[in-house]
Amino acid sequence: MDVTLHLAQDAEADALLGRSPLAALVGMLLDQQVPMEWAFKGPRTIADRLGADDLDAHDIAAQDPDAFSSLLSEKPAVHRYPGSMAKRIQQLCQYIVEHYDGDAELVWKGVDDGRELLRRLEDLPGFGKQKAQIFLALLGKQLGVRPQGWQEAAGAYGETKSFRSVADITGPESLAKVRAHKQEMKAAAKAAKGTAKSAGKSAGK
C-alpha cells in the first residue's frame, strides 16, 4: 500500500493511512460516534504517542491495557470514548497477531474472492457487516484491492460514483457529498421512526 487518502483531511495522518494497512483498519474501527476526520486522524496520533512511525500489531497487543487506555485518553483524546476504543484496538491487534502473524495486509492479500474477503473483514473484532462492507469498498475503490465480486460483496457501498461512505471520499467536494448523503439518511430514519410511532399510537386507540 502506498496511495494518497483524504480521510483525515490531515497530510501526515492521511499519508500513514495510505501506506499502513493496520492504520487503515484502526481508522475504520474508530469511525463511529465521532466525525470522520477525528476517527481517521487517530492512528497517526497513536503512533506519535507510542514514539513510532507506524502502528505495530505485536506492540499494541502487548501494551498494558490501562497504559494504552491512558495514551488514547490524553488530550486531545483519540475518540469520544477512548477507554472502550483502546480495548477494541487491542482486541483487533491481538486477533491480527493470532491469525495473520501481526501483518494486517494479510487480511486481504492474495484473497481472490470478494465474499471471502468480506467474511474475513467481518471476523475482525469491532467490524460488523456494514463496517466490513465499507472497508471492502475502500479497498476496492482507493487501495487497488479488487478480488472477483468485490463490488457485489460490498453491497451499495461498492457502487461506482456513489457518495455513501468514506470509501467515496477523495477530497473536500466528495466529503461534502458523503456528509449530505448521511444527513439525508438520518432525516429519513427519523421520519420513519416518527411515522411508526404515530401508527402505533393510532393502533392503540
Side-chain angles (χ1 to χ4, degrees):
M1 275 174 50
D2 189 12
V3 299
T4 301
L5 295 178
H6 300 276
L7 306 180
Q9 302 290 299
D10 174 277
E12 288 188 6
D14 280 326
L16 178 61
L17 295 170
R19 64 180 167 80
S20 169
L22 181 56
L25 282 173
V26 169
M28 191 73 235
L29 181 66
L30 290 167
D31 187 26
Q32 57 189 66
Q33 298 177 297
V34 295
M36 179 201 72
E37 300 95 321
W38 185 2
F40 282 96
K41 194 174 179 180
R44 175 78 263 176
T45 303
I46 295 169
D48 287 343
R49 291 177 184 177
L50 288 171
D53 292 327
D54 195 357
L55 299 183
D56 183 287
H58 289 280
D59 179 42
I60 292 174
Q63 291 280 324
D64 173 78
D66 290 336
F68 191 63
S69 177
S70 296
L71 182 136
L72 267 69
S73 301
E74 288 176 26
K75 292 185 179 179
V78 168
H79 194 274
R80 182 174 291 152
Y81 305 107
S84 61
M85 281 301 169
K87 186 176 180 180
R88 289 188 183 186
I89 291 170
Q90 284 198 288
Q91 288 172 340
L92 173 64
C93 289
Q94 286 158 2
Y95 184 90
I96 290 171
V97 167
E98 289 170 15
H99 294 82
Y100 299 102
D101 198 27
D103 186 351
E105 191 174 17
L106 293 180
V107 174
W108 55 83
K109 191 174 183 180
V111 179
D112 57 11
D113 181 80
R115 288 173 299 178
E116 167 62 15
L117 179 48
L118 179 64
R119 184 194 66 76
R120 287 186 176 209
L121 291 168
E122 285 186 85
D123 284 345
L124 296 175
F127 278 66
K129 184 173 183 179
Q130 184 184 47
K131 194 177 284 288
Q133 285 186 313
I134 291 172
F135 194 80
L136 176 54
L138 177 65
L139 286 171
K141 291 181 176 182
Q142 299 199 48
L143 298 174
V145 179
R146 302 183 180 105
Q148 186 173 356
W150 72 269
Q151 285 184 291
E152 291 80 3
Y157 300 108
E159 293 174 5
T160 54
K161 296 183 180 179
S162 65
F163 296 95
R164 298 176 184 275
S165 72
V166 298
D168 304 302
I169 294 171
T170 55
E173 187 179 340
S174 50
L175 170 60
K177 288 181 180 179
V178 170
R179 281 236 162 89
H181 173 78
K182 288 188 174 184
Q183 289 301 320
E184 287 173 16
M185 293 297 99
K186 280 184 182 178
K190 192 174 182 181
K193 192 176 180 181
T195 302
K197 199 172 182 181
S198 297
K201 282 183 179 178
S202 298
K205 285 181 180 178

